[in-house]
Structure formats: structure tokens, C-alpha cells
Amino acid sequence: MNGKKGSIEINIPPISTAKLSENAKKKSEKKVSISCKSCILKVWEFCKEDSNRVIFSLKVGLAVLLVSLLILCQTPYRVFGTNIIWSILTVAIMFEYTVGATFNRGFNRALGSLLAGVIAVSIAQLALSTGRIAEPIIIGFSIFFVGAVTSFMKMWPSLVPYEYGFRVILFTYCLIIVSGYRMGNPIRTAMDRLYSIAIGAIVAVVVNLLIFPIWAGEQLHKELVSNFSSVADALEECVKKYLEDDGLENPEFTKTVMDDFPDDPAYRKCRSTLNSSAKLESLANSAKWEPPHGRFQHFFYPWTEYVKVGAVLRYCAYEVMALHGVLHSEIQAPYNLRITFQKEIQDATNQAAELVRSLGKDICNMKRTLKTCLLKRVHSSTERLQSAIDMHSYLLTSTHDQPDNNNNSSKSQSRLSHALSSTFSNLSSHMAEYDKNLLEENHEPPSQPLESYHEMMRKQSRRLHSWPSREVDAFEEEGGFSSDSIPRMRALESTATLSLATFTSLLIEFVARLDHLVEAVDVLSKMAKFKQEAL
């Protein structure tokens, strides 16, 4: 090397960066294309959920364009000057999603601007009459006073709905009086800005009202109807899973909590109903400002009754969430015990869900029907469930002592014997299949597989009767069964069986809530003057 004798020269060709750069560019282009496609899909799904979002965006753009023409065109600009910018600000602030919310904002905006203009002109005239020395002092003190008073009044409980109006008073007053002090003509400044605000408000109201209007009352109506369907579907989903679940795939409650079930249909539907309180109140407050429209043709429509019905419906959703909690708890009633009351639980659930859907359908169609027959069927199915629980109450204890009254318990014994016979037949078939597989795989005499199977069943029984669940080896290291552990295991077994009583009591409580729900819907139908029809 270095030109010396006997050195060996090694020529390493330079690494070509062209291929590397091309591959990197291709990978980056693929990533960019994939991200663009995903963004487009998200936007498309967001627009598909509610097409009114696209309509609202286009209407805002149109309103801002119409107001901006007053600046872009020379003639209006000569009349209003730079004060026309207040029209654009008014449209941007006042234009809301629904017509009712726009009217509400417009009222607050108009009243606040008017009061601010009157107060600003009065204070400005008073300050001018005091001289150049006292004028800035009076203006500064007035700004402090108006800011303090408006900020205090907007926190008053009865004035909270007009919070935006007090905010408008504050910044409009400050801008008018400060600019008037510098320009020397506060009356001219106040009038020009009030004209500009009026132009922006008129454009916002006209565009929102005449071009594909989005009514808050219609949104409230649809939201309440969808909540009825969600509660009924969630109830049926919870009961269906509870009766079909055999406990083999039930997750441990210590590893999963209620917030870890976002994909569960019952949980998702109930959560949407429970979170709809603020939305219903907001829509009801906006709907009060709307004129008669669509199916709501009379003045003073009882929008507040929608909120009351939604509140009663949320209590029903609370009971369904409690059922969902029992469904996902670690302590579960035996599967054979659950199917013993399957018919009664299923009947009560179907009747309750049918009643809830019927109430939602009446609100959707704006019809008033009698619910006497449905209520009777719901109450009768609930009474059958309660009597079945009382008749089979001995099954909910660890001793399973059978009552002495043979006449009252004959049906329960036949049903229980049928469930137990089916269970033992399935168990014997599994035992035979398991023994056959062991004989084929190990080629051993039958005695050893039978012993291993019974040993496995004994360990499995220990797992089922131990709570919290522990491994069998750890249980055996502690000494296995003792005289002190047997009463504790019996108590835990009794607790597991009593979870069925908890589930049925929550279901009965849900049915009790339906009476209040029927009354609330009946009041709404009378005040809203729904069409009277027979069931």
C-alpha cells in the first residue's frame, strides 16, 4: 500500500446511491399515497355520517362571500369604508349549525350590540363634556366598570343562556368607545358599525333559513327516537349474551374494566344514550327560537318535554349498564342455573324491549296510542320471573336444600332435573370421547386414563370453586382442602349463584322504570298534540 514494494492494492467500487435513492423515493411515495387514501376515506366516512355537515360548510362559505362583496365592490366600500369588516365578523360568529342556534346567536348579537352602542355613545358624550384631561380617565373607568359588570352578570344562573350577549356588549363597547376617542366622532363610528353588524346578521339569517335549513327541532326529534332504539337493542344484547355465555371465554374483571369494552354493541349503544344529555338540552334550547316548520306546525311546541323524556330514558339506560357490568364480572352464576330461568328472563326482556320500541315509534310517527295491553304483558312476564325466582330460591344457596312443598315445586324440579340430566349426559359423552382419545394416543389400559381424567376434573372443580382463581399447584402447596376452607368455598359458591338474583333484580328494576317512561311519553304526546290512534 502507499506505493511500496510488495503492497497489495484493493479497489472497492463505490456504492451506487442511485438505486438506494430510487427505492427510498418509491417507499416514501407509497407511504404518502396510503396516508392520502386513509385521509380521504376518513373524510368520506365523516361526511356520510351526516350530510348536513357538508351543506352547513357550503352555506357558511356562501354567506361570507356575499358579505365580502361589500368590500370587493367599490360602491359599497365608499359608503361603509373599513367598518364593513364587522359584517364579516358577524357572519363568522353568528352563523350556527341549526336555524334555532343562529336565531339565538342573532338575538344576543343584536341586543348586545345595541346596548353597547347606546352605552358607548352616552359615555363618550359625557367624557367630551368634561374636557380633554378628564376624558381619558372617564373612558378608562367606564371600560373597567363595563368589563366587571358584564363578566359578573354572565355567571348569574338565570342569565347563563345569554352569556354570549354579555360578551358582545363587552368587546363592542370597548371597540366603539376607544376608536371613537381616537377618531373624534363616536356617534358616527357607532352608527357605521351597527349598520355593518345588521347587514351581516341579515345575510346569516337569510342564508341559513332559506337554503337547505337544518332545524334543531328535527334533530332533537331524531336523536330521542334513536335513543329509544339503542336502549332496546342494548337490553336484548346483554340478556342474549348472559344466557348464551358458558363462562369459558369470560375475561377476568381485574384485567378489564367498563372502559375497555368500546367495541361491545350493548355498551356502545348505552354510552351514546347516556352521553346525549347535553346534546338534547342544547337542541331543545335552540329549537325554542325556531318558527313553526315541517311536522311541528304550532307555536310554543313543548321542546322541554323531549328533554324530560330523555332523562327518564337515561335511567333505563343506567339499569342496562348495570346488567352489562354483571355480565362482565368475574363471579358468575353456573350456566345450568342460568338456563333454568331462561324462558322467564327471555320473555320479560322481549316484552320490555317491545314496549320501549313502541314508545320510540310513537314519538317518531307523532302518534298517541294506548299502551295498556303492552304494560300488562310486561308486568305479567315480570311477575312470572319473580315467582320463578321465589319458587327456586333454594337453588341460590350453596346447600341446595329442596323445599318441602311438593305441589309448588313440582314444575321447578322437572325443569331442574331436565337441565341436570342434559348436563350429565353431555359430561358423560365428553368423558367417553376423552377416554377414547387417550386410548388411541397412549395405548394404555383404560384404568389410567380414567384416573387421569377424574384427577383433571377434580383440579378443574378446585379452580371453579376458588376465588380469586389460583393455579392448582399453588393450591396444593398450601395444603389443599382444609376444614377452614370448606365454609369459605361454600360462601363463594353462594355468592356466585346470587349473581343470578342480582341480574334478575336489575331486569325487574328496568321494567319498573318503564312505567315512568310511559307516563313521560304520554305527557309529551298530549302537549305536542300527537294524533290519537288505537293500539
Side-chain angles (χ1 to χ4, degrees), residues 454-471:
H454 291 299
E455 181 66 21
M456 183 189 68
M457 292 299 296
R458 184 173 62 85
K459 293 180 179 181
Q460 182 67 20
S461 176
R462 293 180 186 179
R463 287 194 184 96
L464 292 175
H465 289 84
S466 62
W467 188 87
S469 57
R470 296 179 295 178
E471 294 295 332

Side-chain angles (χ1 to χ4, degrees), residues 47-234:
C47 295
K48 282 180 63 179
E49 289 179 359
D50 190 0
S51 60
N52 290 330
R53 295 168 179 169
V54 180
I55 297 175
F56 169 72
S57 303
L58 296 177
K59 290 196 300 182
V60 173
L62 178 61
V64 174
L65 174 62
L66 293 177
V67 176
S68 300
L69 291 177
L70 299 177
I71 298 177
L72 299 177
C73 297
Q74 190 67 24
T75 303
Y77 183 73
R78 290 176 181 175
V79 177
F80 296 100
T82 57
N83 289 322
I84 201 63
I85 195 68
W86 283 71
S87 299
I88 301 176
L89 293 176
T90 302
V91 171
I93 295 173
M94 180 178 163
F95 208 106
E96 290 292 332
Y97 185 75
T98 60
V99 176
T102 302
F103 275 109
N104 188 7
R105 281 274 180 146
F107 173 78
N108 284 274
R109 177 74 169 168
L111 185 60
S113 300
L114 183 62
L115 291 176
V118 172
I119 296 173
V121 170
S122 302
I123 297 298
Q125 292 295 328
L126 178 63
L128 286 173
S129 62
T130 57
R132 302 296 299 178
I133 298 176
E135 181 180 1
I137 298 175
I138 294 176
I139 291 176
F141 179 77
S142 67
I143 292 174
F144 168 78
F145 181 76
V146 171
V149 171
T150 54
S151 299
F152 178 80
M153 292 183 68
K154 71 181 182 182
M155 293 185 296
W156 195 265
S158 60
L159 298 177
V160 169
Y162 308 100
E163 183 267 342
Y164 175 69
F166 291 108
R167 196 184 299 274
V168 169
I169 292 174
L170 177 59
F171 74 77
T172 303
Y173 174 81
C174 293
L175 292 175
I176 288 177
I177 198 167
V178 170
S179 60
Y181 172 76
R182 288 301 179 186
M183 294 179 181
N185 191 358
I187 298 178
R188 174 68 179 175
T189 303
M191 295 304 296
D192 289 343
R193 295 190 175 180
L194 288 177
Y195 290 150
S196 301
I197 292 172
I199 291 172
I202 292 172
V203 171
V205 170
V206 169
V207 172
N208 203 351
L209 184 61
L210 299 182
I211 301 177
F212 298 104
I214 304 173
W215 301 102
E218 191 69 28
Q219 297 285 329
L220 175 62
H221 191 81
K222 293 179 180 179
E223 182 69 20
L224 184 62
V225 171
S226 64
N227 288 343
F228 273 89
S229 300
S230 299
V231 171
D233 294 341

Side-chain angles (χ1 to χ4, degrees), residues 16 105 115 129 134 138 142 337 351 359 362 365 375 416 532:
S16 178
R105 281 274 180 146
L115 291 176
S129 62
I138 294 176
S142 67
L337 185 60
Q351 297 297 334
L359 292 173
D362 286 351
N365 298 329
L375 276 175
L416 179 61
Q532 181 74 32

Side-chain angles (χ1 to χ4, degrees), residues 381-393:
S381 61
T382 307
E383 289 176 359
R384 287 195 299 268
L385 174 61
Q386 185 65 54
S387 61
I389 293 295
D390 295 339
M391 189 180 300
H392 297 80
S393 60

Side-chain angles (χ1 to χ4, degrees), residues 230 234 258 261-275 321 324:
S230 299
M258 294 301 295
F261 301 109
D263 297 330
D264 193 344
Y267 177 75
R268 186 171 62 251
K269 291 175 182 178
C270 273
R271 184 177 59 182
S272 64
T273 303
L274 295 177
N275 295 336
M321 290 296 286
H324 187 268

Side-chain angles (χ1 to χ4, degrees), residues 434-449:
Y434 183 81
D435 296 339
K436 182 179 180 181
N437 293 333
L438 286 178
L439 288 173
E440 291 178 355
E441 293 177 1
N442 300 329
H443 302 286
E444 294 178 353
S447 59
Q448 186 175 354

